[in-house]
Amino acid sequence: MTALAPKYLILWASQTGNAEWIAKNIHSEATNKGYKGDCFVMDEYEIINIQSYGVIIVVCSNTGDGDAPDNSLKFWRFLRRNKDKTYLENTRITVLGLGDSNYTSFNNTGIKIEKKFKDLGAKVFYPKGLADDAEGLENVVDPWIEKLWEVLPTVLKHDNGKSIEDSIKEEQELEKKLTEVEIDPATLPYSMKDREKSLPEPVLKYTHLENSLVNPEEPAKKVEQVKGHPLEISLVGLEAGAKLTGLPRISVPVAKLVKLDEQKKDTSIVPDFVVTPAPISYAPVTMVSCLTTSDSLKRTLEIELDIGEGAHYEPGDSFGIVAPNDESLVLAVLNKLNVTPDQYNDLYKVDGDNLPTHLQKASSVSLLDLFRYGVDLTTQPRKALFRMMADYTSDPKEKLSLMYICSKQGGAVFNELREENPNFLDILETFPSCRPPVERLLDLLPAHMPRFYSISSSPLKRQGKVRFAFNVIEYTTPKNAKRRGVATPWLDRLTKLVPARTTPTNIEIILHGNDIKIPIFIRHNTNAFVLPSNTARPLILIGPGTGIAPFIGFLEHRQTQREIRLALGGVGHQPRRQIKEAFGPIFVYYGFRNKSKDFLFEQEIRAFEKDGTITQLSLAESRASDGTPKTYVQDLLRRDMEKLYDLIINKDAAIYVCGDAKGMAKGVQDVLIEMLTKYQKLDTLEATKLLMHWTSQKKYLRDLWA
């Protein structure tokens, strides 16, 4: 396998759009460099002949605790069925994985796909990169791609007529030109004019775009909107004559707005271009309740939706809500970009080759809807965004700050900025002379994604209805910037900001009529986080905070199943005993900060305990009013370790964990490892491998979030 491959294939799988964006940027740049190849999402593998590509570059993210993205599940089924060890014997591969080290199964998808490709005969031509969103994806992604361009000429044909050695040398020189800049902050403020002199000819055409909706010379009209929170950017570490290195490359422009001769009537309906895994339906809100008191640290709501008798789900399934960006934020951003109110509903077609998935159906869309539903205005910014913004910033100091933020030297400043979780308005407020074209923002702002919620009800008990619980995300940062989520404050406002509970149990407010409707779609659970079909199997349910929500659905389901069996009656001399034995014990470990303020679902949980649905209820209170020492669910698990070992090993109990991946889930796993080392005499590595085996056997199931 020494001959150069004639073409490459980029296979990507993405849950939130990051992996897709990276994959398509690699593809665009490879094409510009003279390489020939294709770029496909993994689930489109059937329309291509994978074996015909000598080089495959895989870019894949993870969802949940190391699970594969939804748009790769068909491809994974294909891989699992394929046992031919020579299937990819003429293929060289490399993998870039995007993960989050807050989860135990860090970058599991990337690791597994490399192993499977090697099992099918492929050879690795470039070591895999495993990026960590907890530390910043760019820390691994940018240098990995930079080195990729140096390695690629050794395995792939290049239409430049040069030797491999010359191609590598040329690539190294070009990389230096594109990712380094020397500036004198005291006497030579960085300017667009200076940058153009340092750019190679092939890149110059990307520094200015035609058909921009923004005129930098035209002042924005004054509109009463929310203001962003300016960020503090320190240039203390930048000395006169310093060289900035490691700058992101200028991303290739893709999106182009083509104006149509009409306007859209503004409605509350989700626009047609929005892509969802299943069709959207509009579910009326039938009940809302606040589960916490006014002095609780978090405001937690439970909402019931009418999804219709024909809709099917299991306890443990989740559903997506298509919530728009905050309207005041959208209007403020458009105002900053000099888009006037009379332009809000002008219709455009988003055109361009290699468009990201979330813009491919935008054939007739307004600017208002693009910023409501098309792009994410609140997620942590990419370095590539700052790099692009520098090219459209007129103030020299602001331009220098933007370049510094995305350079290697400005890494600490970039990390500090990430910790502030700025929205896009904050960034525009920080750099007032920056006027990026809308088209370039469509290229570089992430896709606006649905928000997913676990169902907290049983279809047996609430036919045609789903319930779900959530914390309303609103907080103030240490630097006094106000931050809020996208969907949860929107849901709170839609349901009229119901008052916090003032009694030991919450009051359910029943809503009549169909005035409030939520755009949703059901997402059936792909990782088996559902009840086992065998009702006699013991269950261990571990869920602090809103992690208890899906277990309320589990318990409702078991309670209703048992009631149905009792109503039907049994056979033999002791029918009730037989029915009781048909339902295994359920151990529940639930944690909260303060019993009087945020014991969620107390009334329901006490009822489950009273009627025997819950065999053992263990409550962990971490901020008790009487000063009792902090207790967490992992402390209670450690207390019951011997009993749990018997339940898990000898009675084949299934373990379910739901909630925070950072602290709680790791603490629970540590206790399980401790249990196996103590009672099964395994070492830590053996115990960890056994837990991984349990996960593959659907015995140890986790539904986590960072």
Side-chain angles (χ1 to χ4, degrees):
M1 245 174 65
T2 56
L4 297 180
K7 59 181 180 177
Y8 67 83
L9 171 65
I10 298 176
L11 283 174
W12 59 268
S14 186
Q15 194 69 24
T16 63
N18 280 328
E20 178 185 5
W21 182 80
I22 292 168
K24 290 186 174 179
N25 269 278
I26 294 173
H27 178 50
S28 296
E29 192 160 352
T31 302
N32 288 344
K33 290 176 180 296
Y35 295 111
K36 292 182 179 178
D38 298 299
C39 182
F40 286 95
V41 64
M42 287 184 185
D43 274 357
E44 291 181 350
Y45 74 95
E46 291 176 315
I47 66 176
I48 55 177
N49 179 10
I50 292 178
Q51 292 172 294
S52 67
Y53 296 89
V55 169
I56 296 179
I57 301 167
V58 176
V59 184
C60 57
S61 64
N62 296 261
T63 181
D65 190 19
D67 298 320
D70 293 344
N71 51 18
S72 68
L73 299 181
K74 287 196 323 187
F75 182 62
W76 273 105
R77 286 194 289 271
F78 160 73
L79 288 179
R80 291 190 189 100
R81 289 194 302 265
N82 194 331
K83 308 298 182 184
D84 183 357
K85 293 184 179 181
T86 64
Y87 185 76
L88 295 175
E89 64 179 353
N90 297 316
T91 303
R92 285 165 281 197
I93 64 158
T94 187
V95 174
L96 176 61
L98 312 182
D100 188 331
S101 59
N102 287 313
Y103 295 90
T104 304
S105 301
F106 172 63
N107 255 312
N108 187 48
T109 303
I111 293 168
K112 283 172 59 180
I113 203 165
E114 184 191 66
K115 182 180 183 303
K116 183 60 181 178
F117 273 38
K118 288 166 70 175
D119 291 344
L120 296 176
K123 302 292 188 297
V124 174
F125 75 88
Y126 176 41
K128 63 179 171 290
L130 300 178
D132 184 3
D133 196 34
E135 300 293 332
L137 295 175
E138 292 98 339
N139 294 342
V140 170
V141 171
D142 290 351
W144 188 90
I145 294 175
E146 179 181 332
K147 185 68 176 176
L148 173 68
W149 300 127
E150 296 180 21
V151 176
L152 215 52
T154 66
V155 294
L156 193 61
K157 282 184 180 177
H158 194 285
D159 289 347
N160 62 1
K162 297 180 180 179
S163 67
I164 292 175
E165 292 76 13
D166 288 344
S167 293
I168 293 173
K169 185 176 180 181
E170 180 185 64
E171 188 57 52
Q172 289 171 338
E173 291 173 353
L174 180 61
E175 188 67 35
K176 190 172 182 180
K177 287 181 180 180
L178 291 175
T179 62
E180 294 185 8
V181 63
E182 188 171 331
I183 11 180
D184 185 343
T187 59
L188 276 174
Y190 184 73
S191 68
M192 190 62 208
K193 182 178 179 182
D194 294 330
R195 178 61 174 171
E196 286 186 354
K197 288 179 181 177
S198 69
L199 284 174
E201 187 63 33
V203 182
L204 279 174
K205 59 185 177 182
Y206 298 131
T207 60
H208 295 290
L209 294 176
E210 298 178 358
N211 302 321
S212 170
L213 293 170
V214 179
N215 179 356
E217 306 302 323
E218 181 182 325
K221 292 187 178 180
K222 296 293 182 184
V223 182
E224 286 297 324
Q225 269 123 17
V226 296
K227 288 187 177 293
H229 184 85
L231 303 166
E232 296 176 10
I233 309 295
S234 172
L235 300 181
V236 172
L238 193 60
E239 299 177 357
K243 180 181 287 187
L244 298 181
T245 60
L247 294 167
R249 292 190 177 213
I250 301 172
S251 63
V252 177
V254 175
K256 184 175 181 179
L257 287 171
V258 180
K259 195 171 187 302
L260 307 177
D261 294 330
E262 50 187 316
Q263 279 205 333
K264 177 182 182 292
K265 185 178 179 182
D266 197 21
T267 69
S268 59
I269 301 297
V270 176
D272 293 339
F273 78 89
V274 174
V275 178
T276 53
I280 292 173
S281 61
Y282 290 84
V285 177
T286 53
M287 186 281 295
V288 61
S289 177
C290 184
L291 305 181
T292 50
T293 60
S294 59
D295 57 347
S296 172
L297 183 67
K298 298 176 182 178
R299 175 173 166 82
T300 306
L301 299 184
E302 184 184 28
I303 289 178
E304 181 183 79
L305 302 176
D306 184 348
I307 61 171
E309 296 293 336
H312 301 285
Y313 71 91
E314 290 185 72
D317 281 345
S318 60
F319 67 98
I321 293 181
V322 185
N325 281 312
D326 182 84
E327 189 75 359
S328 60
L329 175 61
V330 169
L331 297 180
V333 166
L334 290 175
N335 182 49
K336 281 283 184 186
L337 298 175
N338 285 349
V339 178
T340 57
D342 60 322
Q343 296 176 300
Y344 288 172
N345 289 305
D346 289 347
L347 287 177
Y348 293 85
K349 177 184 179 182
V350 181
D351 209 354
D353 297 328
N354 213 25
L355 282 172
T357 302
H358 67 284
L359 296 176
Q360 289 176 359
K361 294 184 178 180
S363 57
S364 179
V365 60
S366 69
L367 293 180
L368 203 54
D369 278 346
L370 275 174
F371 280 82
R372 281 172 176 162
Y373 294 99
V375 293
D376 192 327
L377 300 177
T378 60
T379 199
Q380 291 182 336
R382 299 166 173 151
K383 284 186 178 181
L385 175 68
F386 291 119
R387 175 64 191 87
M388 178 276 291
M389 291 177 67
D391 285 346
Y392 298 95
T393 300
S394 56
D395 181 86
K397 185 177 179 182
E398 291 177 19
K399 186 184 293 288
L400 175 59
S401 296
L402 285 162
M403 297 292 281
Y404 182 54
I405 288 169
C406 59
S407 71
K408 183 178 179 180
Q409 289 70 25
V413 175
F414 178 71
N415 289 335
E416 288 176 11
L417 186 147
R418 276 172 54 93
E419 290 174 4
E420 274 291 290
N421 290 313
N423 59 41
F424 186 55
L425 179 61
D426 297 330
I427 296 170
L428 290 175
E429 196 78 49
T430 306
F431 305 102
S433 75
C434 181
R435 290 290 184 268
V438 170
E439 290 166 319
R440 290 301 272 143
L441 295 177
L442 296 181
D443 287 339
L444 286 157
L445 288 174
H448 185 65
M449 303 300 295
R451 269 50 179 181
F452 289 95
Y453 298 91
S454 298
I455 295 173
S456 62
S457 56
S458 163
L460 292 180
K461 184 168 185 176
R462 307 182 193 280
Q463 295 181 7
K465 305 282 179 66
V466 295
R467 290 190 173 195
F468 65 107
F470 58 90
N471 294 324
V472 179
I473 307 300
E474 291 182 322
Y475 63 98
T476 302
T477 70
K479 294 185 179 179
N480 209 34
K482 295 190 181 302
R483 301 279 181 252
R484 54 168 44 188
V486 174
T488 58
W490 177 72
L491 289 167
D492 199 3
R493 291 193 302 274
L494 274 184
T495 52
K496 315 300 183 187
L497 300 169
V498 297
R501 68 172 172 86
T502 56
T503 57
T505 56
N506 57 294
I507 297 173
E508 296 184 352
I509 300 173
I510 306 301
L511 303 180
H512 300 285
N514 296 328
D515 294 340
I516 305 172
K517 295 183 178 180
I518 309 295
I520 70 164
F521 56 90
I522 298 294
R523 181 190 188 188
H524 297 291
N525 209 303
T526 56
N527 65 358
F529 197 87
V530 292
L531 284 167
S533 56
N534 178 11
T535 61
R537 189 176 188 182
L539 306 178
I540 300 169
L541 311 180
I542 307 162
T546 52
I548 193 66
F551 299 143
I552 298 300
F554 281 22
L555 294 164
E556 278 190 356
H557 207 68
R558 278 288 184 262
Q559 181 189 55
T560 309
Q561 286 177 320
R562 193 174 60 173
E563 288 172 353
I564 292 171
R565 289 285 297 275
L566 286 168
L568 292 173
V571 294
H573 298 296
Q574 297 177 310
R576 293 187 69 85
R577 181 177 175 181
Q578 289 178 345
I579 293 171
K580 183 179 179 181
E581 291 175 350
F583 291 86
I586 300 178
F587 284 55
V588 175
Y589 292 85
Y590 172 42
F592 40 76
R593 290 175 63 86
N594 185 280
K595 184 178 179 180
S596 63
K597 298 177 183 179
D598 40 29
F599 186 163
L600 310 181
F601 300 104
E602 181 176 8
Q603 187 173 1
E604 293 88 340
I605 288 171
R606 293 300 187 192
F608 293 138
E609 183 183 29
K610 184 177 181 180
D611 71 7
T613 303
I614 293 177
T615 308
Q616 176 182 305
L617 175 64
S618 299
L619 302 175
E621 190 174 17
S622 63
R623 304 292 189 278
S625 301
D626 62 4
T628 302
K630 296 179 181 179
T631 306
Y632 298 98
V633 288
Q634 49 265 47
D635 299 321
L636 301 178
L637 292 170
R638 187 172 282 108
R639 178 199 68 189
D640 296 342
M641 195 183 290
E642 185 175 1
K643 185 191 302 183
L644 293 175
Y645 178 78
D646 177 64
L647 204 63
I648 295 166
I649 300 299
N650 300 323
K651 298 183 174 63
D652 192 30
I655 311 160
Y656 295 82
V657 184
C658 183
D660 168 43
K662 291 182 181 179
M664 179 277 300
K666 185 180 184 304
V668 169
Q669 177 134 323
D670 288 344
V671 172
L672 293 175
I673 290 172
E674 186 182 334
M675 176 190 74
L676 291 170
T677 58
K678 182 175 182 179
Y679 295 104
Q680 200 152 327
K681 308 305 179 184
L682 302 179
D683 61 31
T684 301
L685 180 59
E686 291 171 332
T688 303
K689 287 182 177 179
L690 182 56
L691 289 182
M692 292 173 64
H693 176 69
W694 286 354
T695 299
S696 67
Q697 297 299 306
K698 313 303 181 188
K699 178 182 176 69
Y700 175 38
L701 296 151
R702 308 197 303 173
D703 185 4
L704 309 176
W705 53 83

